[in-house]
Structure formats: structure tokens, C-alpha cells
Amino acid sequence: MKLTFLGTGTSCGVPVIGCGCAVCRSSDKRDRRLRTSALVEADGVSILIDCGPDFREQYLENIRDKSIDGVLLTHVHYDHMGGLDDLRPLTYRNTVPVYCRADVAIRLKNNLSYCFGDKHYPGSPVLDLVEIKEYTGFNVKGVDVMPFGVRHGDLDILGFRIGDMGYITDASKIDNSTVEALRGVKVMVINALREREHRSHMNLTSALNAIDLIAPQQAYLTHMSHEAGLHAVLASRLPEGVYAAYDGLKVEI
């Protein structure tokens, strides 16, 4: 299985519009963080985790010419589902299923009624909306996926386990059931917004504490704002086996 980080930034991305901090002005490509998204490839199946407003750019840069066999959505916020319309060319021949919670499905039906309404608008993406529940497994063309619950401030959202990989973004905390669902993973992806605490996202300290509880062989930080600092500096401060992900990073699992 291969994991590609398509985006490792927050809802504003990095550089942030109008910001002149050292991270936003950095010439290091690893400091350019598009909205958070990832691609999992296993047994010839390509699964996209979240499809934000940077998807078109991410696809052309990192995926190019590959099909998408399924989309997993973690939650309802725009930076995680605002790029679904850009799947349009990938659905000309095959319908792409979109797996999400019931609350996300409602939002999609309202915001993308031309795709998910009773009448499909000609030429719009052909997407099959599939509602899923936490701790109820399903498969995408034979690849098993287990969704699990995490908290994002006051919002219940999903993380995903696919084989030996666990993926969490935007979480403010995880509970014991989440930790148990991720026991034995070799690779863990988890959000670490910045050093300072935040009401709806884990900061670096809480992310590292969660990694200690789950105890993967390797862990990668994602959903990092410009306040997370320069990649080179952050990477040098992390404990053994924990890495700061960056856009375009590929990990073999």
C-alpha cells in the first residue's frame, strides 16, 4: 500500500493570503501546504481521503492520469469537500462513490443538488453518495475500510483505518474506542495544527500524546498551519519515528 500526501495544510492553506511570516515567505517547497487530502493506493485501487478546493491542482501534480475508485470524506467542512465538482472528468466513464456520514450527505445534497438531486444536471460529476457509520466497515473495490469516530470541537467526524494505516485529521481529541480501533497500525497520520492550543484541533503536544497512546511504528503530522513553523525546524524537533508530512510525500506501507 502507498500513501501520498496531497495536502497537509489547514483551511487557509500555506502561504496564507496576506501573511508575511517566515513560513509563508519560505522558498522551501515543504512549507507550501495545500488543503489537507491524501491518496491511498492498495491492490490496484485508488482511494481519495477528502476532496478539498485544491483537488484539481493536487491531482495534476501528484496523481495525473489515474482513476479514483472512491472518495472518503472525514466531515462536512468546505476545505474537505469543496473540490468534489473537480472529479467531473474522472466520472465520464465510471461513477465514483463518495462515502460519508449522514450529516455530510445532507450538506452535499443541499450544496451540490445538481449532482445529488432527483434530476442529474447533464455534464456534472456522476457521483454515488454512500452513507457510512463509525465502526461499521465497508470496502472499496475489495479494499477494506473501517471508519471510526473522533471529535472536532463540537462536531462528530470520521477517521479511517485502511489495513496497517490509520488516518485522522481535524480532531480536537480522541477517545479510548478510537485508540483501540487503531491498535497495531504501522503508520499513523494525525493532525497537529500548531504549538498553541486550539478549541477544535489538536496542537503538537496533544498530537504527540495521541501517537504515544496508539503506538504506531511511524507517525506523520498533517493539517498544519503556518504557526506550526518552518518544516525544517519542526522536523528537527520531533521524536524518533514521528515526521512532519509535506505535500507530495509518498509513504510505502
Side-chain angles (χ1 to χ4, degrees), residues 8-10 36 75 80 148-155 157-160 166-176 178-179 182 188-214 219-229 234 238 242:
T8 56
T10 60
T36 297
H75 64 292
H80 295 265
F148 53 85
V150 295
R151 291 289 288 177
H152 177 22
D154 298 326
L155 187 66
I157 70 173
L158 294 178
F160 297 99
Y167 188 95
I168 293 175
T169 185
D170 284 51
S172 54
K173 63 180 179 180
I174 60 175
D175 58 22
N176 290 335
T178 299
V179 174
L182 291 169
M188 182 73 230
V189 179
I190 195 164
N191 58 291
L193 185 72
R194 63 192 188 194
E195 290 274 1
R196 291 189 297 121
E197 292 186 356
H198 189 278
R199 65 171 298 274
S200 59
H201 296 85
M202 285 190 282
N203 66 353
L204 178 59
T205 298
S206 54
L208 293 176
N209 289 339
I211 291 168
D212 285 341
L213 289 173
I214 296 166
Y220 292 85
L221 305 181
T222 192
H223 202 274
M224 296 171 288
S225 76
H226 58 166
E227 290 186 65
L234 175 61
L238 295 176
V242 180

Side-chain angles (χ1 to χ4, degrees), residues 6 39 46-48 50-52 55-56 59 63 66-73 80-99 112 114-116 123-128:
L6 303 179
L39 181 74
S46 297
I47 301 173
L48 181 68
D50 285 335
C51 187
F55 172 72
R56 182 180 183 276
Y59 178 90
I63 305 174
K66 293 181 181 178
S67 62
I68 299 294
D69 296 301
V71 181
L72 314 180
L73 295 181
H80 295 265
M81 64 180 194
L84 286 173
D85 189 83
D86 287 332
L87 289 167
R88 184 179 306 216
L90 300 176
T91 68
Y92 287 158
R93 294 185 178 180
N94 299 296
T95 301
V96 174
V98 177
Y99 301 89
L112 293 174
Y114 61 96
C115 297
F116 301 111
S124 63
V126 184
L127 305 171
D128 182 18

Side-chain angles (χ1 to χ4, degrees), residues 9-26 31-35 193 224-229:
T10 60
S11 56
C12 290
V14 181
V16 177
I17 291 174
C19 182
C21 75
V23 178
C24 290
R25 290 185 289 106
S26 172
D31 289 321
R32 182 175 182 269
R33 302 165 186 155
L34 298 178
R35 267 65 73 93
L193 185 72
M224 296 171 288
S225 76
H226 58 166
E227 290 186 65

